[in-house]
Amino acid sequence: MSATLHDETDSYPKLGARTIGAVNWRGLWTLYMRETRRFMKVWAQTLAAPAVTTILFMVIFSLALGGAGRQIAGLEYAQFLAPGLIVMAVLQNAFANTSSSILIAKVQGNIVDTLMPPLSALELTLGFVGGGVTRGLAVGLSVGLAFVLMPGVTMQVVHIWPVLYFAIAASTMLSLAGVLTGIWAEKFDHSAAISNFVIAPLSLLSGTFYSIERLSTSWQVFSHLNPFFYMIDGFRYGFIGRADSDLMVGFAYTMVINLVLTFIVYRVFKTGYRLKA
């Protein structure tokens, strides 16, 4: 009789016990808030400094290349340049947030604090990427507000959906790339190599400072293979109403890349590549 009663009582949850459903929402939210607060605590370095750097890009290039009433696609050079600089800041900061977070945790040896909680591979992916997207969009918003207040720069949204989609797609793509870099890298030199030899060149050769119509045929082919070009071109279209590419091609191209990167990151967390012994 006592054994039967004991078996029956064991089938009920203990007082105060919390069951986790299909998604650990509390754990996911905690990881996201940790990644967000991590860069907000040093906002002068993570938000203000990139905004100032981007504004200096605008000032320097406007003075150097935008003089004598120079126009691109019938627009003042500063108006053409501003959206591209915003996306470039979004890309670089989304990548920096996720790559540095994971790499620092690995170097300091506290990555186990992230892997031990009951978080699935998908929840880890969403938590880290969510923090990177938040930082990228926050930097983009601060730069955009600065450009609105800057004399000589016209910032007017013509189409809202390309602005929203390509900003989110850009920050998501680079957040995913940052996660992969942070997991793969064993020291800060490895992460810096990806940033300097992959992210920076693709950003600068993506039509940020020029229209690809001015390029030769071979360089135009390279630009159309560069996903950064579609993100910058689509985002710029939202402000000036003109694009150098087919927006639907850019939409599909960036969507496919983000889906593939999401699956790869999920599998990396699932298998514990370079994270678990």
Side-chain angles (χ1 to χ4, degrees), residues 32-274:
Y32 168 75
M33 290 305 298
R34 189 198 72 174
E35 291 300 296
T36 302
R37 290 171 178 171
R38 177 179 163 274
F39 72 81
M40 288 299 296
K41 289 183 67 175
V42 287
W43 63 269
Q45 174 186 349
T46 57
L47 298 181
V52 171
T53 302
T54 308
I55 293 170
L56 289 176
F57 267 116
M58 168 63 78
V59 173
I60 292 171
F61 278 91
S62 295
L63 292 175
L65 302 176
R70 181 187 177 188
Q71 294 186 343
I72 295 182
L75 302 169
E76 294 293 332
Y77 183 67
Q79 184 180 358
F80 175 87
L81 179 61
L85 290 178
I86 294 174
V87 178
M88 191 171 71
V90 170
L91 294 170
Q92 294 175 349
N93 285 275
F95 175 84
N97 196 73
T98 51
S99 60
S100 63
S101 176
I102 295 179
L103 182 55
I104 290 173
K106 288 172 58 178
V107 171
Q108 293 179 345
N110 58 17
I111 187 66
V112 65
D113 295 336
T114 302
L115 301 178
M116 283 184 63
L119 291 170
S120 67
L122 182 58
E123 290 162 356
L124 289 171
T125 301
L126 294 177
F128 279 109
V129 171
V133 170
T134 301
R135 176 174 169 182
L137 295 180
V139 172
L141 182 61
S142 63
V143 173
L145 291 175
F147 286 164
V148 169
L149 301 175
M150 183 179 295
V153 180
T154 302
M155 295 291 293
Q156 182 178 357
V157 176
V158 179
H159 305 286
I160 187 63
W161 77 263
V163 174
L164 296 178
Y165 170 76
F166 287 103
I168 296 174
S171 54
T172 300
M173 186 181 299
L174 271 293
S175 296
L176 290 165
V179 171
L180 292 176
T181 299
I183 294 174
W184 166 79
E186 296 180 351
K187 52 186 179 180
F188 291 102
D189 290 346
H190 294 160
S191 179
I194 299 297
S195 180
N196 294 331
F197 296 111
V198 179
I199 305 301
L202 289 178
S203 300
L204 295 174
L205 296 175
S206 58
T208 303
F209 304 99
Y210 54 84
S211 173
I212 66 167
E213 292 180 350
R214 304 171 62 89
L215 300 178
S216 62
T217 303
S218 58
W219 279 106
Q220 287 191 26
V221 172
F222 171 79
S223 297
H224 282 92
L225 295 176
N226 183 0
F228 290 17
F229 160 70
Y230 291 103
M231 293 183 288
I232 290 176
D233 190 51
F235 186 82
R236 179 183 286 131
Y237 171 82
F239 285 93
I240 68 175
R242 179 190 178 279
D244 289 335
S245 64
D246 188 334
L247 287 184
M248 291 300 103
V249 172
F251 177 87
Y253 193 35
T254 54
M255 178 67 73
V256 169
I257 292 177
N258 278 333
L259 290 176
V260 171
L261 287 176
T262 300
F263 177 75
I264 294 174
V265 171
Y266 168 80
R267 289 300 303 168
V268 167
F269 278 127
K270 188 74 173 178
T271 59
Y273 172 74
R274 292 206 174 187

